Amino acid sequence: MELGERKQKILTAVIDAYIRTGEPVGSKALVEMLDNAVSSATIRNEMAELSAMGYLEQPHTSAGRIPTAKAFRLYIDRLMHRQALSEADRKDIDSLLSSASGDPERLIEEASQALAQTTGCAAVTTTPAGQAAYIRRIEVLRASSRMVALLLMTGSGVLRTRVCRFDRDVGDETLERLSKALSAGFGGAELTEVSLPRVQSLMAALGEDGLLCAPALTAFYELVQESAEAEVRLSGQLNLLRHPDYDPGRARDLLDFLARRELLAGLLSAMPRGLRVVLGSESERPELDGSSLIVTRYTLGGHPDGSIGIIGPVRMNYAAAIPRLEYFAKAVGKLLDEIIRDGDDPPPAGPGNPPR
């Protein structure tokens, strides 16, 4: 049933007041909020109808009403008036992120911490994947006569290293051959294209050096698998304990869920593109009952890539939080693009090296 204009105004006022105070809202307070344009008796009748429609509920014996999850969904989708982010707020966010602008992984970590700090909620971000997930550079660096460090840089500027040990001394000529073979075989390749059969084929192509180089090839494959998986960064979990909306049991269940990063990563990866607000049971995770997840994607090279979001109580100031989150996503994507432009160019297009 479509809500009339007056019901929409009353419901919006109830939700705005409840977000601000956390207390049930009565007709007298609404009369003042609506500038005495509607009588107290009319507001009571409208609130009774809104309750019958499932938008309001009356806790205990209180005379006031509080909004239901159905009401919050309508509010977010149609009734809410977003608060514009001020120029000062935008400059503060840019300043918080600028110190980490040269390091993609540090940038993601700083973004998560800054978002939690400025929203008073828990913040979650994931490292770049998707469109930027290709191998930009591979290096083999000698550490000792039997030990080398492998360096792998992805298209998003993420740098990973791993040390591996050989069974016997390895000469410079063998290491140079290994390094050239890795760069020729996998430079510019999508991370998802690096399979065990391809690594085994490269080991065979190295001939008598293949078995000797097996530890380094294994380390390379493991580095690629790590880089292909988006990592979850979580900050501000203790902020949730400051919200009166969470009783000890609910807070414990939520914090236990957030500590299981693989579950959180699965929830984020299943989200459709674009800004999403998931209310309580909509997530189909009982630990998130009474909580909201607002999530969007930051872009890399013009394409949606990693996720960035906040988790807090359903009674959240969405009108302020959503524009802030969107600006964070925009700022992170812009800084990551700058990192990529400042880095080395990927190998030229050719067989096995798709153009970027």
Side-chain angles (χ1 to χ4, degrees), residues 7 64 73-74 77 90 104 126 130 132 139 157 202 207 248 251 286 329 344 346 353:
K7 281 187 173 64
R73 173 48 61 200
L74 179 66
D77 292 345
R90 289 194 290 268
T126 61
E139 291 187 13
L202 188 146
D344 298 331
N353 295 336

Side-chain angles (χ1 to χ4, degrees), residues 5 14 23 75 101 122 145 157 172 174 186 204 206 264 275 290 298 313 339:
E5 183 179 350
V14 170
E23 299 293 333
Y75 175 79
S101 60
S145 60
D172 291 340
T174 298
F186 296 106
L206 288 171
L264 188 55
L275 181 96
Y298 58 80
I339 292 171

Side-chain angles (χ1 to χ4, degrees), residues 250-272:
R250 175 170 287 179
R252 181 180 61 251
D253 291 344
L254 177 57
L255 292 177
D256 287 346
F257 170 75
L258 295 179
R260 301 166 69 183
R261 302 298 173 89
E262 72 283 358
L263 296 179
L264 188 55
L267 180 64
L268 293 173
S269 64
M271 292 284 179

Side-chain angles (χ1 to χ4, degrees), residues 10-25 47 50-51 54-59 64-75 314-316 318:
I10 290 173
L11 184 59
T12 300
V14 170
I15 295 173
D16 285 339
Y18 181 65
I19 287 173
R20 189 171 59 253
T21 68
E23 299 293 333
V25 184
M47 291 177 76
L50 286 167
S51 296
Y55 290 107
L56 298 177
E57 61 185 1
Q58 187 173 20
R65 303 289 200 280
I66 64 173
T68 62
K70 180 180 179 181
F72 272 109
R73 173 48 61 200
L74 179 66
Y75 175 79
V314 170
R315 187 180 65 86
M316 190 191 300
Y318 300 96

